[in-house]
Amino acid sequence: MRAVLWDMDGTLVDTEPYWIAAEFELADRYGGTWSQEHALNLVGNDLLDSGRYIREHMGISLEPAEIVEALLDSVIAQVEEAVPWRPGARELLADLRVAGVPCALVTMSYRRLVEPVLASLPAGTFEAVVTGDVVTRGKPDPEPYLKAAAELGLAAGDCLAIEDSNTGARSAESAGCVVLCVPNHVPILEGERRVFADTLAGLDTEALRATHVR
């Protein structure tokens, strides 16, 4: 394991409830209909894909890009009020930093949402940041993880990815990463290059290295 590639929403920070609240607010504002089931179907997805899904299933006339921007406005406001860290995430990042293991952030959120999260971490925590607005094909396509590994000067197979969704795990696995799956709001299927943990709390660099050997 030469680097660790982190998902953000649901893995580093538990922003999924923020996104879901924003979606229900959007439905109320524009006279659409929404459900928890629809909301969970979007976990881990590319944002424009989510915007298209919302337009179809919420029954509103906004363009997908407009839907994404409206949701981002709401989620950013919530994050600026309180960053909802996942248990053990900041401690593991700090341990990796001490051990000299580079980390990259690989998220389908756009850069303007990532900025307040990064601002709450020590400078240089992530040596590369790949966001949904800088890739051509988002998760579950392997492009985001391939891009992150390349920015670190590594092959994806040299990296361990940490994910909380099946969509994200598919992206990392198809890029060639071993994936540490920490399910949160949605289940993750078993896979050849997937290992599972209930939480990041208590994990350190050595534990991740042992995971990557598998």
Side-chain angles (χ1 to χ4, degrees):
M1 180 191 76
R2 298 178 61 189
V4 178
L5 312 180
W6 290 72
D7 172 56
M8 188 178 82
D9 295 287
T11 299
L12 179 64
V13 290
D14 194 10
T15 47
E16 297 301 350
Y18 290 2
W19 284 102
I20 292 170
E23 291 156 16
F24 276 102
E25 289 168 9
L26 192 72
D28 288 342
R29 193 186 319 159
Y30 291 98
T33 57
W34 198 235
S35 69
Q36 187 76 7
E37 181 181 1
H38 280 316
L40 293 178
N41 284 341
L42 301 181
V43 173
N45 281 9
D46 174 84
L47 288 186
L48 279 175
D49 287 343
S50 294
R52 287 185 278 269
Y53 182 100
I54 288 169
R55 178 183 166 93
E56 177 183 353
H57 294 279
M58 191 178 285
I60 60 176
S61 59
L62 292 180
E63 291 300 317
E66 294 177 305
I67 291 170
V68 169
E69 294 303 323
L71 294 178
L72 282 168
D73 287 343
S74 175
V75 176
I76 289 168
Q78 294 176 79
V79 167
E80 288 176 341
E81 192 169 313
V83 179
W85 300 105
R86 290 287 289 145
R90 283 181 294 177
E91 293 82 358
L92 181 54
L93 276 169
D95 193 72
L96 288 163
R97 185 176 178 84
V98 169
V101 178
C103 290
L105 191 65
V106 188
T107 176
M108 290 299 89
S109 287
Y110 288 3
R111 185 78 193 201
R112 68 187 186 100
L113 172 55
V114 172
E115 290 294 349
V117 175
L118 294 179
S120 300
L121 291 167
T125 294
F126 293 105
E127 295 188 19
V129 176
V130 174
T131 56
D133 45 349
V134 299
V135 295
T136 303
R137 297 174 301 279
K139 300 176 186 178
D141 191 273
E143 181 186 341
Y145 278 100
L146 291 171
K147 181 174 177 63
E151 288 190 8
L152 295 176
L154 298 171
D158 293 328
C159 304
L160 175 73
I162 306 179
E163 274 285 355
D164 75 302
S165 73
N166 199 59
T167 299
R170 284 173 58 198
S171 174
E173 188 176 47
S174 58
C177 302
V178 170
V179 190
L180 175 60
C181 301
V182 188
N184 188 359
H185 294 283
V186 293
I188 304 179
L189 301 175
E190 297 283 341
E192 183 180 348
R193 301 178 65 82
R194 302 179 187 186
V195 292
F196 288 78
D198 293 330
T199 179
L200 295 177
L203 296 183
D204 59 12
T205 304
E206 289 309 310
L208 295 195
R209 285 185 172 134
T211 295
H212 194 247
V213 167
R214 301 178 198 177

